[in-house]
Amino acid sequence: MSIRIGDEAPDFTADTTEGQIRFHEWIGDHWAILFSHPKDFTPVCTTELGYVARLKPEFDKRNTKVIGLSIDPVSDHKRWVGDIAETQGYPINYPLIGDENLSVAKLYDMIHPNASAGPRNANDNATVRAVFIVGPDKKIKATFTYPMSAGRNFDEILRLLDALQLNAKHSVATPVNWKPCDDVIIPTSVSDEEAKKKYPEGFKTLKPYLRTVAQPK
């Protein structure tokens, strides 16, 4: 069954490059980003994992943990991280899950349920390039699935995380191409009377259903 926004993120226990974890316990009261790649020692994912390591201080500022997953054993991950540091300039500073038995990949519907464990290549694992953003309540907040040939845009994932956290704190929506500090949208569930109380400094009404206001601090 597909995992949808609003579902509880399936819990699991797994070995990682930083020891065994239980996913929900590992998240704690943080946000979390779980992202998968098809196989170790693959070119596109080498660039992605290095970039996530570079961005980790930004995720830390946002009370967010990141964790990667591959359908390869942890022993392979530990060999791969040297290549990532060498070629991308950033050592891996977050855990990587070893999922050689496909248990987490199948739990999260990243791969065909009839796929079998054992020797596999990146093409076999092509569907395993997913991203899940999970809130402190352990609910799925957003998902992505990418093809093998296109590198993921983790700047966009960071931007989306900002929007999700802003919505969680202030109950606002964000318009197209929103960036932090841009104006935000007042949801239609908030009446004009409520909006006047909530935003005494005022807001713009473009249409009765489209009202914008300065981003709350």
Side-chain angles (χ1 to χ4, degrees), residues 157-194:
I157 293 169
L158 190 66
R159 187 198 72 91
L160 174 59
L161 177 65
D162 283 335
L164 291 169
Q165 293 187 340
L166 188 67
N167 175 264
K169 186 174 182 180
H170 296 288
S171 298
V172 294
T174 53
V176 62
N177 296 332
W178 173 87
K179 299 183 295 296
C181 298
D182 287 353
D183 287 355
V184 297
I185 291 172
I186 302 171
T188 55
S189 57
V190 177
S191 70
D192 282 346
E193 291 72 23
E194 292 169 327

Side-chain angles (χ1 to χ4, degrees), residues 28 100 195:
E100 65 267 35

Side-chain angles (χ1 to χ4, degrees), residues 37-38 41-50 80 88 129 147-152:
H37 45 277
F41 305 102
T42 50
V44 174
C45 293
T46 295
T47 65
E48 291 178 335
L49 268 69
W80 188 23
Q88 306 305 307
R129 294 196 72 231
M148 286 183 59
S149 58
R152 286 170 280 197

Side-chain angles (χ1 to χ4, degrees), residues 61-72:
K61 291 177 188 176
R62 293 159 173 81
N63 190 38
T64 300
K65 293 183 172 183
V66 292
I67 189 166
L69 175 147
S70 174
I71 300 180
D72 276 312

Side-chain angles (χ1 to χ4, degrees), residues 25-131:
E25 183 180 277
W26 176 82
I27 294 172
D29 61 357
H30 296 73
W31 290 68
I33 295 176
L34 167 64
F35 69 104
S36 58
H37 45 277
K39 190 169 179 60
D40 292 3
F41 305 102
T42 50
V44 174
C45 293
T46 295
T47 65
E48 291 178 335
L49 268 69
Y51 194 72
V52 172
R54 174 183 171 185
L55 283 181
K56 188 173 180 295
E58 293 300 319
F59 290 120
D60 290 343
K61 291 177 188 176
R62 293 159 173 81
N63 190 38
T64 300
K65 293 183 172 183
V66 292
I67 189 166
L69 175 147
S70 174
I71 300 180
D72 276 312
V74 169
S75 57
D76 284 0
H77 296 353
K78 290 181 176 180
R79 290 191 297 114
W80 188 23
V81 296
D83 291 357
I84 295 167
E86 177 187 345
T87 61
Q88 306 305 307
Y90 290 89
I92 296 301
N93 47 14
Y94 52 87
L96 300 178
I97 297 167
D99 192 36
E100 65 267 35
N101 61 4
L102 314 184
S103 60
V104 181
K106 289 185 177 182
L107 184 65
Y108 275 75
D109 195 35
M110 301 176 191
I111 196 167
H112 194 282
N114 293 330
S116 60
R120 302 177 62 80
N121 60 43
N123 288 327
D124 294 329
N125 301 340
T127 56
V128 189
R129 294 196 72 231
V131 180

